[in-house]
Amino acid sequence: MLKFLSVLILSLATWCSSCLAASKAEVEGQFRRWLQDELWPQAEKAGISAGSFKAAFQGVRLDWDLPDLVPPGFPKPKERKQSQAEFSSPGSYFSEKRLQGLAATGRSLASAHAATLKKIERTYGVPGSVVLAIWGRESGFGRAKIPHPIIDVLATKAFMSTRPELFRRELIAALHILESGDVKEADMRGSWAGAMGQPQFLPSSFLQYAVDFDGDGRRDIWNSIPDSLASIANYLAEKGWQSGRDWGFEVSIPAGVSCAQEGPDRARPIADWAGLGIARVSGKPFPAAERTASGMMLVPAGRHGPSFVVTPNFYVIKEYNNSDLYALFIGNLADRIASGSGAFRADWGDVGKMLRSDVLGMQKALTAVGYDVGKVDGLPGYKTRRSLGDWQAKNGMVPTCFPDASLKGKLR
């Protein structure tokens, strides 16, 4: 009997494995038909030649190891519940060991590429330290392995990802890059998400912002350091970088000044913030040229962490990656490279352990009484933080501008 069960289990396992193989083979066939019946007409309409299209997909294959795939005929992935703790303390983003290592390498490379960086700053108005910080964060200064053939990635995701339209557009953009002759397909490598080369540009960003800065007639963000650095600077310049301005300053906010004033839509002259008693933690005054220009309060952990007055350039950095913490990381790293500064002075508090479902409940409660919390998604963006701080003040509490467990029973 035991022997019979063992044989039966082995047979079932073999059968299930062959079923999966058959299913994958079927999907591969659908993929080949999709390339000809759906993608080719779209590519032709976009101006891609038949020869280029055929050459690009000659050896293309589906990459089944990529995340967020929804193969036709396979069970759809379960929706992620909002109950897990999806975000942690903002402080966990700022690994001091990593920042110190990146800064040391960045300072060395600032010296090695001084002439190129000086020319880039003259051309685009973006400080070399900021360009180096993004280069370091995105690809370890070009040293990180970038393993994936980009056409495989984009074709797979355009055919069977959770966002096929986005990746179909990026796939067409990648075909335009190949037609331009800037890069050979074998060298056109990127991340699992479709970001390419040392600056980690999506193909559409490459077409719009990549530049030939070394003068060899090709925009090469895979092998050319001048092209990679200048392309980053051009991206920031085109997104509105204000030459001569800083990205922002760590500050102390007096207890009597509400933390519920942050956000790019509540800008005021930096002199006005200073007039409220907000001062740089370094003890230095705000630069004279900055005082009459606009600045915005930023409290990413509310009263539980470092506070900042940031400039419009902070939000330009966010165009590269739409995250307050990313932009703060870049700003801090750029300061370390430029002047040898260190970590933010204020400590990050023990926050970020709440469940997203709890934060979601707070957002819904705030929305119900007329607050604009931004996205109702269980993540505490600046509109949620300032709405929470305003609600706390109006209900006789000291504003902290960040969700915590003590508010769960009070805000329903």
Side-chain angles (χ1 to χ4, degrees):
M1 183 67 179
L2 185 59
K3 183 177 181 181
F4 171 76
L5 286 175
S6 299
V7 172
L8 178 61
I9 291 170
L10 180 62
S11 299
L12 286 171
T14 305
W15 177 78
C16 290
S17 176
S18 64
C19 283
L20 183 60
S23 299
K24 280 192 173 184
E26 187 174 308
V27 171
E28 295 277 359
Q30 292 181 45
F31 172 61
R32 294 294 165 186
R33 292 191 292 274
W34 172 82
L35 287 174
Q36 288 303 316
D37 298 343
E38 295 189 39
L39 186 64
W40 162 238
Q42 188 174 349
E44 185 180 33
K45 187 176 180 180
I48 303 298
S49 70
S52 294
F53 185 88
K54 183 178 179 181
F57 294 103
Q58 190 74 39
V60 73
R61 65 176 187 84
L62 288 175
D63 188 341
W64 289 86
D65 295 326
L66 298 176
D68 302 323
L69 299 183
V70 190
F74 278 57
K76 290 186 178 180
K78 294 181 180 179
E79 290 188 13
R80 291 194 305 169
K81 294 182 179 180
Q82 296 286 326
S83 59
Q84 67 265 38
E86 286 283 350
F87 63 95
S88 58
S89 168
S92 64
Y93 196 88
F94 299 90
S95 164
E96 185 60 18
K97 182 178 180 181
R98 185 184 185 198
L99 277 160
Q100 286 181 3
L102 288 172
T105 303
R107 287 191 291 270
S108 174
L109 292 173
S111 176
H113 300 292
T116 297
L117 290 167
K118 188 174 182 179
K119 184 180 176 184
I120 285 172
E121 189 160 352
R122 285 199 309 267
T123 304
Y124 302 106
V126 181
S129 58
V130 173
V131 174
L132 286 169
I134 291 176
W135 187 33
R137 180 69 174 80
E138 294 297 327
S139 65
F141 305 104
R143 299 169 183 176
K145 290 183 178 180
I146 304 176
H148 298 284
I150 205 65
I151 297 299
D152 284 3
V153 169
L154 295 174
T156 299
K157 286 185 167 282
F159 176 63
M160 58 178 189
S161 79
T162 54
R163 295 185 294 168
E165 291 304 319
L166 165 66
F167 288 104
R168 191 175 296 197
R169 290 192 299 270
E170 294 300 335
L171 182 54
I172 298 296
L175 295 177
H176 280 295
I177 295 170
L178 289 175
E179 280 213 322
S180 74
D182 283 308
V183 61
K184 295 178 180 178
E185 185 174 353
D187 299 325
M188 194 177 183
R189 306 186 79 80
S191 72
W192 63 263
M196 306 186 305
Q198 298 184 39
Q200 286 291 276
F201 278 0
L202 286 171
S204 59
S205 292
F206 178 98
L207 291 175
Q208 193 166 359
Y209 304 111
V211 295
D212 169 22
F213 206 70
D214 60 13
D216 69 352
R218 297 185 300 115
R219 298 170 293 176
D220 183 2
I221 62 171
W222 292 269
N223 303 297
S224 169
I225 289 175
D227 288 5
S228 297
L229 298 181
S231 294
I232 292 170
N234 184 47
Y235 182 99
L236 297 176
E238 289 293 325
K239 292 294 184 180
W241 186 271
Q242 296 182 9
S243 180
R245 295 206 65 187
D246 209 314
W247 67 268
F249 310 91
E250 187 184 357
V251 300
S252 59
I253 301 176
V257 176
S258 174
C259 54
Q261 302 182 72
E262 69 170 318
D265 54 343
R266 297 192 179 179
R268 58 169 69 185
I270 289 179
D272 287 4
W273 293 115
L276 295 174
I278 294 175
R280 296 177 66 183
V281 296
S282 66
K284 298 177 181 178
F286 291 106
E290 295 280 11
R291 289 180 62 83
T292 57
S294 66
M296 290 71 78
M297 180 187 289
L298 177 74
V299 286
R303 287 284 188 178
H304 306 296
S307 304
F308 306 88
V309 168
V310 298
T311 77
N313 285 342
F314 175 85
Y315 294 96
V316 173
I317 296 173
K318 282 188 66 175
E319 291 286 339
Y320 215 99
N321 183 328
N322 188 23
S323 161
D324 286 343
L325 299 184
Y326 175 88
L328 285 173
F329 187 102
I330 296 301
N332 181 254
L333 179 55
D335 288 348
R336 292 175 189 240
I337 292 170
S339 61
S341 61
F344 297 130
R345 298 283 185 89
D347 293 328
W348 296 95
D350 188 22
V351 294
K353 293 183 177 179
M354 291 191 65
L355 300 178
R356 281 184 69 175
S357 56
D358 291 332
V359 179
L360 189 69
M362 292 183 187
Q363 290 173 326
K364 289 179 178 178
L366 288 166
T367 301
V369 293
Y371 284 99
D372 176 10
V373 301
K375 280 188 176 183
V376 182
D377 57 3
L379 297 174
Y382 76 87
K383 287 186 176 181
T384 295
R385 297 194 297 264
R386 74 186 185 192
S387 295
L388 184 58
D390 187 57
W391 178 87
Q392 287 174 304
K394 288 179 178 177
N395 286 271
M397 290 173 267
V398 176
T400 62
C401 300
F402 204 83
D404 64 67
S406 69
L407 297 172
K408 285 169 57 176
K410 300 172 184 176
L411 185 56
R412 297 190 178 190

